[in-house]
Amino acid sequence: MKKILLLIFPLCLLYGCGTSNEIQYVLANDSYRCEEFDITKEKMLRLVNLARQSSRNCGYKIFTPAGQVTWNPTLARAALSHSLDMATEDFVSHKGSSGKEVSYRVEEVSYSWITVGENISAGREDSEEVVAAWLLSPHHCENIMRQSFTELGAACFHNKDTKYKTFWTVVFGSPMDEVKGTTPQQ
């Protein structure tokens, strides 16, 4: 079916066929796409906070409800950087193409942290699919439920020329300034 639609599309451009909605349908089905950034921001925050409201079994560990996390644009920049790296280099790993871990990526965007963690995903189309998969994975679920995390930033990047097409990253953290008596590092 996909091959047929891809063959029909050039013909529609040359000769015209149907309404513009049909052409948009063909374009929308050529490969997975990321949600718009504002939609990802709203959905990830809502879905993660919804998961944190209830006790949860993450593998063999039971977590009690956790407080809500808030959106942090600096963590979102670190998440976008990693999603872009994975999409550009066509790999899925917590280590970036340079071998650096999430702690390096958050420091690179000047986020002073006490605790930091990261969840990644590839090949899923929307935030709901991504968070549902993370909740089934013990380590990803633990990150979602970890009491010490108070902030998150998330991003998705799309590259149709890669195996998985979409690359998702959420970075969790708790900033240095949350510790009593400390000041953020410059």
Side-chain angles (χ1 to χ4, degrees):
M1 175 79 170
K2 185 176 178 180
K3 289 181 181 178
I4 293 170
L5 290 174
L6 291 174
L7 291 173
I8 292 172
F9 179 66
L11 295 173
C12 288
L13 288 177
L14 287 174
Y15 302 107
C17 62
T19 67
S20 62
N21 287 340
E22 289 178 89
I23 293 172
Q24 288 175 353
Y25 174 79
V26 172
L27 289 173
N29 284 288
D30 71 341
S31 59
Y32 297 141
R33 303 260 188 242
C34 288
E35 301 163 334
E36 291 181 23
F37 177 77
D38 288 339
I39 292 171
T40 297
K41 174 184 172 182
E42 182 271 324
K43 282 184 174 182
M44 279 291 179
L45 197 56
R46 181 177 47 81
L47 292 166
V48 167
N49 281 327
L50 183 64
R52 289 169 66 96
Q53 287 179 359
S54 303
S55 293
R56 189 166 301 279
N57 184 351
C58 300
Y60 294 105
K61 294 181 183 175
I62 297 174
F63 288 83
T64 59
Q68 289 198 343
V69 291
T70 58
W71 183 261
N72 182 290
T74 303
L75 291 177
R77 284 198 324 271
L80 180 59
S81 171
H82 192 53
S83 290
L84 173 63
D85 185 29
M86 290 190 295
T88 302
E89 300 297 324
D90 198 9
F91 73 97
V92 182
S93 174
H94 288 286
K95 282 189 178 182
S97 60
S98 65
K100 306 290 184 183
E101 300 277 344
V102 64
S103 58
Y104 174 82
R105 289 189 287 277
V106 298
E107 288 169 358
E108 193 173 53
V109 294
S110 300
Y111 183 83
S112 298
W113 56 277
I114 300 165
T115 57
V116 67
E118 175 182 76
N119 285 359
I120 59 173
S121 182
R124 292 183 173 85
E125 284 199 59
D126 58 39
S127 296
E128 288 87 357
E129 284 182 58
V130 172
V131 173
W134 285 338
L135 290 172
L136 295 175
S137 164
H139 295 294
H140 293 104
C141 179
E142 286 179 33
N143 275 344
I144 290 172
M145 296 303 295
R146 189 160 286 136
Q147 292 275 354
S148 61
F149 292 145
T150 59
E151 299 179 330
L152 71 76
C156 176
F157 199 86
H158 171 80
N159 182 350
K160 68 179 179 61
D161 297 323
T162 60
K163 179 179 179 180
Y164 295 107
K165 312 288 188 245
T166 57
F167 298 82
W168 298 81
T169 306
V170 65
V171 179
F172 297 95
S174 55
M176 183 66 75
D177 60 349
E178 284 189 3
V179 175
K180 222 178 207 178
T182 64
T183 56
Q185 298 172 357
Q186 295 297 325

